[in-house]
Amino acid sequence: MTQPTWDAVDAYFSEQLVGHDPALEAAEAAADAAGLPHIAVAPNQGKLLHLLALTQGARRILEVGTLGGYSAIWLARALPADGTLITLEIDPKHAEVARGNLAHAGLDKVAEVRLGRAADSLAALVQDGTEPFDLVFIDADKPSNPEYFRRALELTRPGSLIIVDNVVRGGAIADADSTDPAVIGTRALHDLIAAEPRVTATSVQTVGSKGYDGFTLARVQG
């Protein structure tokens, strides 16, 4: 199988199961116009996040890494009217685009973009004793994955779901001798998860319009 095949399959499923969505398409267009990198989740992957949040019955969602707000729209749409999504972004330009996209999607009342280093924002949430989150989506700088996961454990409860994106790294995750900081950080993340009795987890390889990658799912047990 080749990348064009993966692209075609993603396009087929997106057309069949996601369809035309003006708010999401506007979010993509705004991100493109602002020159943001093309690293947002694909439509079918965004809908997977949406379905996982619905399955969780999530009332509070935390996202680490906002970009243009595309995945935040998918997640926020799964919330009840009194739900909350907090998404963390370090880049002021990205945060501005995301706020505009969330407002255009009618989600600015339930979704909040917090600007700053994710590590600092997460520490502040812990210090403030914020109510636990039902779902955490981690999709930011990969060398910091272990720190983000540790904080996610402090900010969740038994039954919460933690999702970490981009963990396969095109297969490089299997290379114990890699000098790539993203691979080193993601391998350290999985060492941490493997030794953590409070979670049960698995990782799934994926192919598609975003190439060869995958994600890790971890359920907090106690």
Side-chain angles (χ1 to χ4, degrees):
M1 295 294 181
T2 63
Q3 181 70 46
T5 302
W6 301 346
D7 291 347
V9 171
D10 262 10
Y12 168 76
F13 283 128
S14 294
E15 180 180 347
Q16 290 290 92
L17 303 177
V18 177
H20 176 60
D21 191 307
L24 288 170
E25 290 162 11
E28 290 182 299
D32 285 345
L36 272 59
H38 295 152
I39 55 175
V41 300
N44 52 334
Q45 295 169 340
K47 191 159 188 181
L48 173 63
L49 292 173
H50 177 76
L51 292 173
L52 288 170
L54 286 175
T55 301
Q56 273 293 100
R59 192 176 61 82
R60 288 177 54 79
I61 298 175
L62 173 64
E63 180 181 50
V64 183
T66 313
L67 195 61
Y70 186 83
S71 53
I73 291 172
W74 276 114
L75 289 166
R77 283 178 169 178
L79 291 167
D82 62 346
T84 299
L85 180 142
I86 296 175
T87 180
L88 312 178
E89 176 55 51
I90 192 172
D91 189 300
K93 182 178 181 180
H94 296 181
E96 180 183 2
V97 172
R99 289 187 180 112
N101 285 335
L102 286 162
H104 182 265
L107 296 165
D108 49 322
K109 298 295 189 295
V110 296
E112 174 190 356
V113 181
R114 294 196 179 182
L115 181 63
R117 290 180 65 247
D120 296 336
S121 298
L122 291 166
L125 286 168
V126 171
Q127 185 174 359
D128 292 344
T130 190
E131 184 181 345
F133 293 93
D134 307 302
L135 185 148
V136 179
F137 179 48
I138 299 173
D139 188 15
D141 61 301
K142 310 312 172 185
S144 299
N145 271 339
E147 180 177 8
Y148 297 154
F149 190 84
R150 289 189 190 96
R151 288 300 192 185
L153 281 177
E154 295 183 85
L155 291 163
T156 49
R157 55 167 180 77
S160 293
L161 184 65
I162 302 171
I163 308 165
V164 187
D165 203 10
N166 306 129
V167 300
V168 173
R169 316 302 308 164
I173 190 65
D175 182 5
D177 298 320
S178 175
T179 58
D180 183 340
V183 174
I184 293 170
T186 306
R187 285 181 64 90
L189 163 73
H190 289 89
D191 289 341
L192 174 64
I193 292 173
E196 177 53 70
R198 289 175 291 175
V199 301
T200 181
T202 193
S203 296
V204 178
Q205 300 181 75
T206 61
V207 296
S209 60
K210 299 299 179 180
Y212 171 37
D213 213 324
F215 58 92
T216 292
L217 294 174
R219 187 178 190 272
V220 181
Q221 300 191 106

